[in-house]
Amino acid sequence: MLKNFHDDEWVYWCPDDKYPIWVNRRIAQNVVASLCEAPSDISGLCLTKRQSRDKTMRAGDESCEYWIRDAAFREIHNYKRIWLHQFLRVRVLRHLFERFPPVIESAKVMDTLHRQIDLPAGSRRLMIKRNAMVLGESTHRGMITANCAESLLRHQGLPNGFRVSEQRIVIGKRPWHWRFTG
């Protein structure tokens, strides 16, 4: 999958079981514009926090703070939240997948495997302090989530043969002060 890419190239990593619901365009454009200028140790930029006080970030450790124009980021010290949409250097993905076993029973197994793997030396992943993107989970236990079904019905219709769950899975929360500006 990554063999034709250089380790320092940026990719937009977007696992297929999630989709964007809302993006603060200004912040996203600033991040994209800054990727070429990012120091080589910055190897990941995530615009979504899973919850308001995400435990992947160390509270009170301002030494981890990094600014891209007017958005503050905090360092993620491992592969937690790797399944969220984000900008990553190829070396981070390659390192992760090269450390997985050659055969994996199911995709769900990767949820625990990635927690046992350290980031490549000299790499820093950053997560935004205030959400600039909200994601929806498309399926849950083999069924389309209610939020995804609503989105599909608005845009193209539900595919045949899929059952719809009552479960709603939304990742991140739109900051109140960006509700009318993004």
Side-chain angles (χ1 to χ4, degrees):
M1 169 173 76
L2 300 169
K3 67 180 176 184
N4 294 325
F5 292 90
H6 186 272
D7 275 354
D8 285 329
E9 284 187 69
W10 287 98
V11 294
Y12 183 70
W13 172 245
C14 51
D16 65 353
D17 61 341
K18 295 174 184 61
Y19 63 96
I21 292 175
W22 171 81
V23 178
N24 181 306
R25 289 184 186 153
R26 181 180 48 80
I27 299 290
Q29 288 170 341
N30 286 342
V31 166
V32 169
S34 71
L35 291 176
C36 293
E37 301 161 5
S40 63
D41 66 327
I42 303 298
S43 55
L45 292 165
C46 184
L47 300 177
T48 303
K49 277 182 18 180
R50 197 163 182 88
Q51 55 201 17
S52 62
R53 185 120 174 108
D54 199 309
K55 294 179 177 88
T56 58
M57 295 188 286
R58 298 177 182 171
D61 186 358
E62 298 306 318
S63 65
C64 296
E65 197 161 77
Y66 183 85
W67 285 84
I68 296 176
R69 299 201 184 155
D70 56 350
F73 288 78
R74 301 284 296 274
E75 190 169 350
I76 306 172
H77 298 278
N78 49 37
Y79 275 104
K80 278 189 177 181
R81 309 297 183 242
I82 195 67
W83 307 128
L84 296 179
H85 290 207
Q86 58 197 285
F87 296 96
L88 291 170
R89 291 202 193 255
V90 169
R91 70 173 173 257
V92 173
L93 286 174
R94 183 172 298 159
H95 180 84
L96 176 66
F97 286 106
E98 285 176 350
R99 277 143 186 85
F100 281 162
V103 176
I104 298 175
E105 299 167 21
S106 73
K108 195 75 176 153
V109 174
M110 290 189 288
D111 288 344
T112 55
L113 287 175
H114 80 277
R115 294 181 185 154
Q116 302 164 16
I117 301 169
D118 292 327
L119 289 174
S123 293
R124 295 172 54 210
R125 288 181 56 228
L126 304 175
M127 177 180 281
I128 199 158
K129 287 177 73 174
R130 292 186 181 202
N131 276 332
M133 178 182 276
V134 176
L135 301 171
E137 187 96 29
S138 57
T139 60
H140 179 70
R141 298 186 182 210
M143 295 191 290
I144 295 175
T145 58
N147 48 289
C148 183
E150 290 167 3
S151 179
L152 287 169
L153 287 169
R154 271 194 310 271
H155 299 288
Q156 66 187 31
L158 284 170
N160 292 329
F162 281 92
R163 296 182 310 157
V164 177
S165 166
E166 293 180 20
Q167 182 88 23
R168 290 182 177 281
I169 303 175
V170 176
I171 303 162
K173 193 173 177 183
R174 206 166 150 176
W176 67 269
H177 62 282
W178 286 347
R179 291 195 196 271
F180 303 106
T181 62

